[in-house]
Amino acid sequence: MPDPILTVDDLAVAYDGAVQALRGVSLRVDTGSVVAVLGSNGAGKTTLLRAISRSLGAVGGAVTAGTIRFQGEDLARRDASWVVRAGLVQAPEGRRIFRDLTVEDNLRAGGYTVRDAVARKEAADRVFDLFPILAERRHQRGGLLSGGQQQMLAMGRALMTSPTLLLLDEPSLGLAPQLVEQIGDIIAQIHAQGTSVLLIEQNAAMGLRVADRAYVLEVGAVAAEGSSAELAATDDIRDRYLGVSVAAPAADAPPAADAPAAPDAPAPPAPAPGAVHLQRSSAADARQLRVADLTVRFGGITALADVSFTVEAGSIHALIGPNGAGKSTCINVLGGAYRATSGTVHYGDQVLSTLPAHRIADLGIARTFQNISLSLDASVEDNLLVGRHRVMRAGTLSQALRLPRARREERAERDAVRRIAALLGIERLLDRSTHTLSYGDRKRVELGRALAAEPTLLLLDEPVAGMTHGESTVMADAIRAVQQELGLSVILVEHDMPFVMGLAERVTVLDFGRCIAEGTPREVQRDPEVLRAYLGTEAAA
Amino acid sequence: MKHRTRTVLAVASCTLALAACSTTDPDAAGTDSGDGGSDVETGAGVTDETIGIGMLTDLSGPFAAGAAVQVAETQGYWDRVNADGGICGRDIELQVQDHGYDPQKAVSLFRSMSSDVIALQQVLGGPTSAAVLPLAQQDGMYLGGHGWASVALEYENAQIPGTTYSVESANAVDYLVDELGLQEGDKIGVVYFVGDFGSDSLAGAQYAAAERGLEIVPVEITPRDTDLSAQVSALQEAGVQGVILGAAPAQLASLAGVMGSLGMDIPIIGNTPTFGPSLLETTAGPTLLENFYTTTSIAPYSSDEPGPQAAAELYEEVAPDGELGWEVPLAYAQGELLRDAIEGACEAGTLTPEGVVTAMRETSDLETQGLFATPLDYTEVTEPPTRTVYVSRADADAPGGLAVVDTFEGPSAASYGFE
Amino acid sequence: MSYLLTQLANGLSYGLVLGLIAVGFVIVFTATGVLNFAHGSVLLAGAYLVAVLQPTVGFWAAAAVGIAGAALLGVLINAVLVRNLAEANPGTAAILMLGVDILLLTELTRRIGNRVIPMGAPWGADRVEFAGVSLPTSRALAALVAVVLFAALWFLFARTRTGVAMRAAAADGDTASLMGIRLSRTGAAGWALAGALAAIAGIFLASFPAPGVAPTVALSAFAAIPAWVLGGFDSVVGAIVGGLVVGVATALAVGYEAELHVLGSGFGEVVPYLVMILVLLVRPSGLFGSKEAVRV
């Protein structure tokens, strides 16, 4: 048995001295192996990585018990800088590249601890070998790279110190299926060059494909461990993390799209949607949304070119496509954040494309963001109440004076917020401060806030990014339930194909700012153009 | 109304005489000013043994250094008065408080102090004294040492030590025409701080220029402007033949330095607060020695009149290493003026704050042995006590850096009207 | 014409010095997230050290001590106050800096008094002439030194390991620390750099045509605040350009005050703020400030 490069023994971590994020976690990474950690959102995966890389302090966490040893050295008294110098580097969740720095400077920042200029140069050459696209774009600002390139940069940056152990936090997050595959190959390649890897992945299929061993983390404790093959064969793991359609997602198993994963999934943690009743405080109906010849340019770059599609009132419509295809740009125009260069957007008989954002909100259009934008210091309940602002009636004055009417309304609002929270399975989190929540839970809170505004059209930007298959199933159920109860239209941008195919009635596929296909999920999945541009070989196989 | 005419320096010179040769019985001086002390009406700040007087000054703010000079001189002055038997049979107790150039703080210090003092010898600073003046007016309390801004002429209780900034500047214009050869139609630059000080200075200069047929080029600055390159270039472009400065030493140094380096060989005349002796060591030194004049109410430190000499001798005794400047004779003169008013109140039998104000306002011809250019007349509230100024020049050899050239009262200064 | 050129040259040189101060604001802000309202008193402390030391040790040695002293003072403020007390909340830190500023300024004012302490720079009140424009030597030198320093800053940030680390830490401190970059080091480096630049600016601001070190020199840091803001809070280039814009606009407004008299006297005083407001109206995040340019 090879020596462990990393051992974690009975580790416990708490946030703000109270919220227990990890309890009694033990794991080991053998020298020269790839270990994956799977688990739902909020299971403590990122916390575990931060504990190992000694960066818990920045987010208010602290190790309360247990030991972490790297190459036999106890890390208890070591800081983040020491750990990096010792050869243990973490590539953080969400890529977190330095957007204003060039690709080259990003890499140089990564190689900060390498004092020898020659060694730095060699490391950079290795990174450029591994990621030729980075060499090509070495003088561009990091922020201008596509999502997949940014992930490569984040990994390349971490490799600049030639680490012996690389920690990767959700490297496939928010990436198109084709790119996920590529990232998996790269991890294998890094491993082949002699670096041990500890990998956190929500995409369990990819995680199990590249890892030798895996651990499943649930509510802060290890629920299962074993070799990747063993775990992949476990029913429970298959159900919760792999999903029934993952192994054969598209072309050869199209029925998966028509028969959503939901019925096969285990009982979702959220209460059954039917038990929760949402009611509009005013009668408002969804209307037809017509996008005609929409073009958006930023400086010389055309982000969208002559895109047209129609979303029928009360339907669910998905926008898919590779990273950088213009999906979020499209959502941003619909929500009023960006201006269309040309073309029109009609919502019913209103022309949206010329309205400012707040007027668009008044029409009953609400959205969530790809990069979550919540008030981190406020409680979940307060974040949701903010969403109610549009439908609250009592004026500021009567609220300030706490007149009976205002008090009545506040009670009613809190009830409404509670119903929404119950629907999304975040009722237990209502009193938590938002910054203590995991990424996936924040996503749910953001969706809740958008729903709180009682929209007639809901714009969702990657609603299940970073969620396990089981979680995204619950999310799909919740969105479908809301959509049916409130009769609203939904436009969603998402890379999770089973999710999209199970939920959407129609799909528009964008590539390089152009509409390359449109139709039902089944039609789109068969489109060779879509397979080439987006779904990749695995789907085509 | 009884107008008193007296020579206030009597006691002080007597004291000097005492120190010098001891020919007079020391007790004589004490009883001289102490008679009738037992049956006077008394008020705030007066007990059977002591008379409290106050000084609200700036020991931690921008004027701390000059304020320290004045505190030292004032303390020495009253120690000497007390050694000579005090006033009205009582010792003078000087209470010094630091307002740090903060009007809020000055007001609260005044509130806490006003019941313990008969008069305020000084509230240093424009904004601070502007805040305290109306309150002191309500309390009928004498308030001195607040500078030379014309606004003080609205207050019966305000004692102006000499004349106003406006009259200083009107005299400056007259002096430029009568003594320094400016002609009708010439232009004079006035570089000034906006506010009670600089704007008053500008008003005097503008009046005098209109009277004498000259043109004023006003340039507004703030205490923050310590590089006056652009302003000087503008003045040069305008073709001015002289500059009047209503600002502070830092601005004078920059003004003179830039003018010198541009070869602008024209006179600069400053109001009282513009000069400090340390300026002569800066790059502006040569230009100042060549072209700088100042029109002041108070005699400069180096004046050889008996009043300023007495002030200088006292200062060398109490603060042998202190900084020299016009603050020394000013503090001494403030002491003299207040002592005269308290003595007058004592004589009138009303040793109260109101009594002190009344005594000041009954003084019509106060001889100050050269501390001021002429005797002072405080009987008209809306008139400055004099309109004559000392004209001095920068002088590297003179202690305090200024040497008297002349006393001067020009026609415009004499006719300048206060609203 | 030569009058205009003279005013322009004055404005450019003053603007470059303002740029040195504004860059200090930017560096401290990006390195530690602090709005450093104590910058003015650090500047004054540096200039004061030079002025009091130069009669005994000579100008150049005094300048070295003053620059190092101001850098050290910045590092101390960061180490003692910013890192320990205020890291969590930028608002608290800004108020704290105001407090530090008042303390330092009071003490320096007490020491300086109403004296004007000459800087004793060897170039004195000399002037240089070129193309019909006459400029004080100290001003021409200030412009030259500022340009050299800006070039050095560019080299530092673009080419050196430390500089790249500082930029990375400024962009995303949490992630930078995962690269082994010590935020305490980059923070201290930022404060030291800002302090040194402030002291250099202070030396020139207190040299001819200014008379010497007086407490008002500290206020010139406030004149650099509009430059900092209009350049965008976090951009070094923006701070330099902002300094030039403010410097030139102020010099022209003062130089042509007579012609601009319809706008009221003392117009030069408000010009920096007017320019700042105009720029912010058109570009709310300043000329070079980073926007939330989110890529899809």
Side-chain angles (χ1 to χ4, degrees):
Chain A
M1 188 170 171
D3 287 339
I5 188 167
L6 180 81
T7 50
V8 176
D9 266 322
D10 216 14
L11 183 72
V13 172
Y15 283 105
D16 298 340
V19 184
Q20 196 72 29
L22 290 182
R23 47 199 121 207
V25 171
S26 300
L27 64 77
R28 60 181 272 157
V29 178
D30 289 331
T31 305
S33 69
V34 176
V35 172
V37 177
L38 313 176
S40 340
N41 279 287
K45 302 184 305 270
T46 296
T47 302
L48 173 65
L49 283 205
R50 279 185 168 274
I52 295 169
S53 65
R54 316 305 295 160
S55 59
L56 271 175
V59 287
V63 172
T64 53
T67 55
I68 304 168
R69 283 176 196 283
F70 175 62
Q71 293 176 329
E73 184 90 23
D74 188 345
L75 298 186
R77 304 192 142 267
R78 302 299 187 177
D79 69 354
S81 178
W82 185 90
V83 170
V84 172
R85 281 160 223 267
L88 193 168
V89 178
Q90 178 184 355
E93 181 179 23
R95 315 193 265 273
R96 302 281 286 273
I97 56 143
F98 304 116
R99 309 183 68 92
D100 288 334
L101 270 59
T102 61
V103 167
E104 203 163 37
D105 284 346
N106 264 282
L107 294 180
R108 282 162 66 192
Y112 173 71
T113 54
V114 183
R115 291 189 164 274
D116 180 8
V118 178
R120 272 209 306 279
K121 176 83 177 57
E122 284 169 7
D125 288 344
R126 273 201 305 278
V127 170
F128 287 141
D129 280 349
L130 200 54
F131 307 105
I133 185 74
L134 295 184
E136 233 170 79
R137 312 188 70 166
R138 64 203 297 167
H139 298 303
Q140 274 191 13
R141 288 199 302 132
L144 294 176
L145 299 184
S146 73
Q149 292 161 353
Q150 289 188 6
Q151 182 57 50
M152 293 178 196
L153 180 56
M155 289 167 69
R157 188 177 58 180
L159 290 172
M160 279 297 291
T161 50
S162 314
T164 48
L165 175 60
L166 178 65
L167 311 183
L168 292 175
D169 196 347
E170 306 275 16
S172 75
L173 184 69
L175 296 185
Q178 195 179 18
L179 283 170
V180 173
E181 218 179 296
Q182 201 181 339
I183 295 291
D185 293 343
I186 289 166
I187 295 171
Q189 216 174 326
I190 292 169
H191 172 226
Q193 290 175 2
T195 303
S196 310
V197 178
L198 177 59
L199 167 77
I200 283 180
E201 230 345 300
Q202 46 92 17
N203 188 328
M206 192 271 255
L208 291 178
R209 179 162 74 81
V210 298
D212 308 317
R213 272 181 80 74
Y215 292 79
V216 176
L217 218 52
E218 266 173 26
V219 233
V222 175
E225 61 174 291
S227 74
S228 299
E230 281 163 24
L231 284 177
T234 317
D235 287 347
D236 190 36
I237 302 293
R238 286 173 62 91
D239 286 346
R240 294 181 75 162
Y241 300 108
L242 295 174
V244 288
S245 63
V246 160
D252 61 344
D258 296 333
D264 302 331
V276 184
H277 291 288
L278 289 178
Q279 275 176 331
R280 287 188 181 283
S281 17
S282 62
D285 287 323
R287 284 169 265 175
Q288 189 191 49
L289 180 91
R290 291 186 308 282
V291 177
D293 300 326
L294 186 64
T295 300
V296 178
R297 289 196 198 90
F298 301 112
I301 301 165
T302 303
L304 282 180
D306 296 325
V307 170
S308 304
F309 59 91
T310 300
V311 179
E312 296 300 335
S315 71
I316 300 182
H317 194 110
L319 291 177
I320 65 171
N323 298 87
K327 306 181 299 291
S328 290
T329 303
C330 188
I331 291 263
N332 281 329
V333 172
L334 299 183
Y338 292 169
R339 271 296 155 93
T341 310
S342 66
T344 55
V345 180
H346 277 85
Y347 187 56
D349 43 15
Q350 287 273 355
V351 181
L352 277 193
S353 33
T354 54
L355 293 179
H358 69 275
R359 291 274 299 115
I360 290 178
D362 286 347
L363 288 175
I365 299 179
R367 68 167 300 182
T368 66
F369 294 84
Q370 182 178 351
N371 302 314
I372 303 169
S373 74
L374 292 168
S375 305
L376 290 183
D377 287 337
S379 72
V380 169
E381 186 175 26
D382 286 344
N383 266 298
L384 296 182
L385 280 170
V386 167
R388 297 294 294 171
H389 175 76
R390 188 177 82 85
V391 289
M392 277 158 86
R393 291 211 181 73
T396 314
L397 183 65
S398 55
Q399 279 178 22
L401 297 175
R402 301 194 63 77
L403 296 179
R405 193 166 71 101
R407 285 216 297 276
R408 242 189 345 267
E409 178 167 45
E410 191 183 322
R411 262 199 311 280
E413 292 306 331
R414 286 191 190 279
D415 288 346
V417 159
R418 200 154 284 280
R419 281 197 300 276
I420 292 164
L423 188 70
L424 297 174
I426 52 172
E427 203 174 6
R428 73 200 151 80
L429 303 176
L430 276 177
D431 297 328
R432 289 268 291 276
S433 176
T434 310
H435 74 87
T436 65
L437 301 188
S438 70
Y439 183 79
D441 283 338
R442 289 182 194 184
K443 280 268 179 203
R444 275 185 264 230
V445 174
E446 210 188 20
L447 175 60
R449 185 177 62 182
L451 283 178
E454 296 185 357
T456 58
L457 172 62
L458 188 58
L459 310 174
L460 301 177
D461 200 348
E462 303 205 8
V464 297
M467 292 189 181
T468 62
H469 177 75
E471 290 171 315
S472 72
T473 308
V474 173
M475 192 66 143
D477 290 344
I479 292 172
R480 196 179 298 109
V482 171
Q483 184 253 341
Q484 278 160 7
E485 283 199 33
L486 297 180
L488 44 74
S489 316
V490 177
I491 298 180
L492 58 93
V493 165
E494 186 51 66
H495 286 305
D496 185 329
M497 278 310 110
F499 176 83
V500 169
M501 298 305 168
L503 193 59
E505 291 155 46
R506 285 193 79 77
V507 178
T508 297
V509 187
L510 298 178
D511 189 24
F512 293 112
R514 294 184 179 278
C515 183
I516 58 167
E518 200 199 313
T520 63
R522 190 193 288 244
E523 288 163 8
V524 166
Q525 270 180 313
R526 288 192 180 136
D527 191 312
E529 186 77 344
V530 176
L531 288 175
R532 183 197 58 73
Y534 184 48
L535 294 174
T537 53
E538 194 177 308
Chain B
M1 188 180 277
K2 179 192 121 196
H3 286 178
R4 295 177 305 125
T5 304
R6 41 189 300 143
T7 304
V8 296
L9 225 69
V11 172
S13 46
C14 179
T15 318
L16 288 170
L18 279 177
C21 54
S22 283
T23 51
T24 323
D25 179 1
D27 291 337
T31 48
D32 195 38
S33 55
D35 57 2
S38 52
D39 55 344
V40 293
E41 182 195 337
T42 60
V46 181
T47 69
D48 285 349
E49 281 86 36
T50 61
I51 301 172
I53 60 170
M55 200 166 170
L56 294 181
T57 187
D58 176 11
L59 295 173
S60 58
F63 298 105
V69 171
Q70 297 195 51
V71 169
E73 177 78 357
T74 305
Q75 191 67 58
Y77 178 85
W78 292 113
D79 286 350
R80 190 169 282 186
V81 167
N82 289 338
D84 292 339
I87 304 174
C88 226
R90 295 166 173 85
D91 273 356
I92 302 295
E93 265 188 12
L94 177 65
Q95 303 180 17
V96 180
Q97 293 283 357
D98 171 25
H99 61 47
Y101 207 60
D102 175 356
Q104 283 289 330
K105 204 170 164 198
V107 165
S108 65
L109 286 173
F110 172 75
R111 295 263 188 229
S112 65
M113 183 188 264
S114 62
S115 56
D116 300 332
V117 296
I118 194 169
L120 285 170
Q121 171 163 347
Q122 180 169 55
V123 178
L124 187 127
T128 37
S129 55
V132 174
L133 258 173
L135 303 174
Q137 167 99 317
Q138 279 169 15
D139 291 7
M141 184 174 286
Y142 173 106
L143 194 157
H146 45 67
W148 295 271
S150 296
V151 287
L153 294 176
E154 294 164 19
Y155 297 96
E156 190 189 1
N157 60 322
Q159 171 265 102
I160 292 191
T163 190
T164 61
Y165 295 121
S166 46
V167 172
E168 283 179 9
S169 296
N171 270 316
V173 173
D174 286 332
Y175 193 80
L176 283 168
V177 175
D178 294 340
E179 305 290 335
L180 299 176
L182 265 65
Q183 309 286 324
E184 233 181 273
D186 281 351
K187 291 180 181 171
I188 299 174
V190 176
V191 180
Y192 68 104
F193 288 163
V194 181
D196 286 351
F197 161 33
S199 302
D200 194 25
S201 173
L202 175 67
Q206 271 173 332
Y207 170 80
E211 288 289 295
R212 308 300 297 262
L214 281 77
E215 193 187 324
I216 293 293
V217 180
V219 178
E220 185 181 308
I221 55 170
T222 71
R224 216 168 73 184
D225 295 315
T226 50
D227 170 8
L228 302 186
S229 301
Q231 288 85 348
V232 172
S233 298
L235 290 176
Q236 188 181 32
E237 185 77 0
V240 299
Q241 293 297 314
V243 179
I244 293 173
L245 181 67
Q251 286 72 31
L252 173 58
S254 178
L255 180 86
V258 177
M259 284 173 64
S261 76
L262 289 173
M264 288 173 74
D265 187 20
I266 57 173
I268 306 166
I269 305 190
N271 289 105
T272 306
T274 52
F275 187 78
S278 62
L279 297 189
L280 296 180
E281 295 154 28
T282 67
T283 46
T287 310
L288 290 172
L289 292 173
E290 188 70 26
N291 288 326
F292 180 68
Y293 298 79
T294 176
T295 50
T296 61
S297 297
I298 191 77
Y301 187 86
S302 67
S303 163
D304 53 8
E305 296 283 332
Q309 283 298 315
E313 278 169 47
L314 174 64
Y315 187 67
E316 276 157 31
E317 190 185 310
V318 297
D321 302 321
E323 309 238 354
L324 309 181
W326 48 264
E327 291 90 351
V328 174
L330 176 65
Y332 191 87
Q334 296 283 1
E336 292 277 85
L337 291 167
L338 180 55
R339 187 171 60 83
D340 177 60
I342 298 175
E343 279 176 4
C346 177
E347 272 171 30
T350 48
L351 199 53
T352 60
E354 293 80 4
V356 174
V357 173
T358 307
M360 169 186 56
R361 287 298 171 196
E362 286 178 355
T363 304
S364 64
D365 191 16
L366 186 70
E367 170 57 43
T368 60
Q369 304 273 7
L371 284 166
F372 297 97
T374 65
L376 304 179
D377 179 357
Y378 281 99
T379 54
E380 292 288 330
V381 173
T382 55
E383 274 292 307
T386 181
R387 286 178 184 247
T388 309
V389 292
Y390 278 106
V391 178
S392 312
R393 292 192 66 164
D395 185 331
D397 299 327
L402 288 174
V404 176
V405 179
D406 206 353
T407 61
F408 184 80
E409 181 176 333
S412 334
S415 65
Y416 182 75
F418 295 93
E419 289 112 46
Chain C
M1 189 58 195
S2 91
Y3 178 67
L4 172 66
L5 286 179
T6 305
Q7 296 297 32
L8 273 179
N10 266 322
L12 283 175
S13 125
Y14 176 58
L16 285 167
V17 176
L18 281 187
L20 286 177
I21 305 173
V23 165
F25 276 116
V26 170
I27 293 176
V28 165
F29 179 69
T30 53
T32 54
V34 175
L35 304 175
N36 180 17
F37 291 121
H39 204 44
S41 51
V42 172
L43 180 154
L44 179 61
Y48 171 77
L49 271 179
V50 181
V52 293
L53 290 177
Q54 59 90 8
T56 40
V57 303
F59 174 76
W60 295 109
V65 174
I67 293 166
L72 192 66
L73 182 59
V75 171
L76 275 177
I77 293 174
N78 179 47
V80 177
L81 295 172
V82 178
R83 275 168 52 71
N84 288 334
L85 301 177
E87 210 148 23
N89 186 338
T92 317
I95 302 295
L96 193 67
M97 288 306 106
L98 275 177
V100 171
D101 190 54
I102 291 169
L103 276 177
L104 278 174
L105 211 52
T106 305
E107 173 58 17
L108 287 164
T109 304
R110 197 182 63 76
R111 285 171 176 274
I112 298 169
N114 60 354
R115 284 180 301 162
V116 173
I117 314 175
M119 195 45 86
W123 48 86
D126 301 345
R127 297 185 85 88
V128 289
E129 303 258 348
F130 57 89
V133 174
S134 155
L135 201 63
T137 309
S138 66
R139 274 296 135 89
L141 217 58
L144 197 71
V145 168
V147 169
V148 169
L149 284 174
F150 292 147
L153 278 179
W154 174 83
F155 182 81
L156 171 75
F157 284 126
R159 288 279 177 269
T160 69
R161 185 168 145 264
T162 311
V164 172
M166 286 178 74
R167 279 163 66 211
D172 183 348
D174 190 25
T175 303
S177 63
L178 289 179
M179 325 270 93
I181 295 166
R182 285 202 171 91
L183 299 186
S184 56
R185 297 254 177 97
T186 54
W191 277 85
L193 205 54
L197 291 175
I200 294 167
I203 291 171
F204 285 113
L205 284 171
S207 307
F208 183 80
V213 176
T216 48
V217 171
L219 296 174
S220 47
F222 283 102
I225 288 180
W228 169 37
V229 175
L230 80 83
F233 272 94
D234 52 3
S235 162
V236 171
V237 176
I240 297 168
V241 174
L244 285 172
V245 169
V246 169
V248 170
T250 308
L252 292 182
V254 172
Y256 289 92
E257 179 162 342
E259 285 80 354
L260 295 169
H261 224 78
V262 282
L263 299 170
S265 58
F267 185 59
E269 178 70 9
V270 298
V271 157
Y273 297 93
L274 210 60
V275 173
M276 177 182 86
I277 290 167
L278 286 178
V279 169
L280 293 188
L281 280 177
V282 182
R283 293 181 66 96
S285 49
L287 291 174
F288 295 85
S290 57
K291 300 188 288 285
E292 285 302 302
V294 180
R295 206 196 134 93
V296 184

